[in-house]
Structure formats: C-alpha cells, structure tokens
Amino acid sequence: VPVVTGGSSLGFAEALTAAGTTKLDAPRTVFRLKRPIHFEAALDIPTGAAAPAKAARRYIQGVPAGCFAASHIFHVPTVAGMRIGLAEFQQDRDHCESGIGRARTYYLEVETANVSGLLSSAREDFIVLHSGSPQEDVDEVARHKLMDLWGDLRLLGKPLWGRFAAFRTGHRFHHDLIRKLAGEGYLETVELSDIKEFA
C-alpha cells in the first residue's frame, strides 16, 4: 500500500468519497460485541530505547454498544519526559476526514538510525517524536493510533460495533485481539434494520 499524505488515511478517504456509493439489495450486517472484553500484553520496547524501570503493559477494554466508539491513550514510557496523547472517536458523531483520518504516522527519534533505511522520502512528512515534542504532535499520533485500531478491526470482515478504551496499543496487539474476538465467541452478527437505537 503506498504511503500518502504523511502516512495518514486522508488520501484514501478522499478517493473513496469521490468514487461514491452504490445501493445494494442485500441487508447490511455488522459485528457487535456481545460481552465486555479485557485484553492485555507486555509492551514492546522500541529499538534504541531504554527499557522502563518496571515492566510496562498495554491493554484494551471493550463493552457492547450500538456504534463504534474508541479512545486511545498514547504513552511511551521508554522516552523520559514525553507527553501523553489522547484521542477519541465515535463513528455516528465524528467525521473521519476531519479528525483521525488526517492524523499522520510517526517514528521515535531514538529509532531514526534503525528506520531511515526502511522508509521512502515520504518520511519527510512523518512526525518525529522525542521528549520535547509539543502536545499537538503527541495528540495527532494518538489519533493516528486510533485510526490504526479502527482499520485493524475491519480485518474481521465487517464493521465492529463496541465502545473501546485502548492504552499503548499497536498493530501486532490489535491482530492478537482480533484472533481473540473471532475465536472466543465475543461477536454476534446483526442486521442494521434489527438495531433500534444507538447505545
């Protein structure tokens, strides 16, 4: 997949919007979280960063809801003094293109030597985070991580409705979460016409 608009999803969202929609005869179905879930794992330590003083964890909690809603707390305990970022999104209320869709991707300054050979010239538009990064950059990264979560959950094959709170999560963690959701009976399939109200 090409990297566009600073690693954000904005270019893709604009292209899909321009393409338009087509009405289908089949009913639209979504997955809905049937019961609460708590999932956690050890935090990966970025290459080039020092290990935190105590073992760090990452986790996500989800509860059933009549839409997709999520909050994400971005926190890097391996970079002393870095600010904590927060992002929130609710699908029936917020617009992707004006919020999380515009959020660029990032890398940590301590990772520069390890990632510079892997990235194209597109990295010039990425956010480089360090202990002195301004709050607006850290919050933008939190919005990007929330977009990552939403996109990864679509690997289930259809939209997922639930309300989630994520802390320090990333792609690998999301993929493990998907396997748990799909394999342990957390999901039910519902037609949109069966849902009377948003919760």
Side-chain angles (χ1 to χ4, degrees), residues 7-189:
S8 79
S9 65
L10 182 61
F12 297 99
E14 290 175 339
L16 290 169
T17 299
T21 58
T22 299
K23 187 175 171 110
L24 302 176
D25 292 332
R28 185 171 181 208
T29 61
V30 299
F31 285 130
R32 183 166 55 186
L33 199 60
K34 288 166 53 175
R35 64 183 192 272
I37 184 170
H38 174 85
F39 185 62
E40 67 177 270
L43 183 68
D44 296 333
I45 306 303
T47 303
K54 61 181 181 178
R57 307 288 289 173
R58 55 178 60 192
Y59 65 83
I60 190 166
Q61 295 196 201
V63 294
C67 64
F68 173 80
S71 59
H72 189 283
I73 295 174
F74 176 79
H75 177 232
V76 184
T78 56
V79 179
M82 183 180 290
R83 292 176 167 89
I84 296 172
L86 172 66
E88 296 181 298
F89 178 79
Q90 184 166 314
Q91 189 172 2
D92 62 335
R93 182 193 65 201
D94 302 319
H95 296 289
C96 170
E97 292 89 339
S98 62
I100 61 176
R102 290 184 177 276
R104 297 166 292 163
T105 193
Y106 77 102
Y107 60 92
L108 300 176
E109 186 177 63
V110 296
E111 298 176 296
T112 301
N114 295 301
V115 301
S116 59
L118 305 174
L119 302 174
S120 68
S121 59
R123 74 177 183 274
E124 295 172 4
D125 297 323
F126 293 177
I127 298 171
V128 182
L129 285 183
H130 49 81
S131 59
S133 291
Q135 188 66 53
E136 55 265 28
D137 283 357
V138 182
D139 285 339
E140 183 175 352
V141 170
R143 292 194 302 276
H144 184 87
K145 299 289 266 186
L146 203 158
M147 173 59 79
D148 287 346
L149 171 62
W150 191 23
D152 288 341
L153 288 173
R154 289 304 297 265
L155 294 173
L156 287 164
K158 56 183 73 173
L160 172 62
W161 281 8
R163 190 171 297 273
F164 298 89
F167 181 60
R168 297 175 175 157
T169 66
H171 289 299
R172 186 182 308 158
F173 180 88
H174 299 160
H175 299 164
D176 290 340
L177 171 68
I178 288 166
R179 283 187 276 273
K180 184 174 182 68
L181 289 170
E184 298 185 19
Y186 279 95
L187 306 177
E188 62 180 342
T189 301

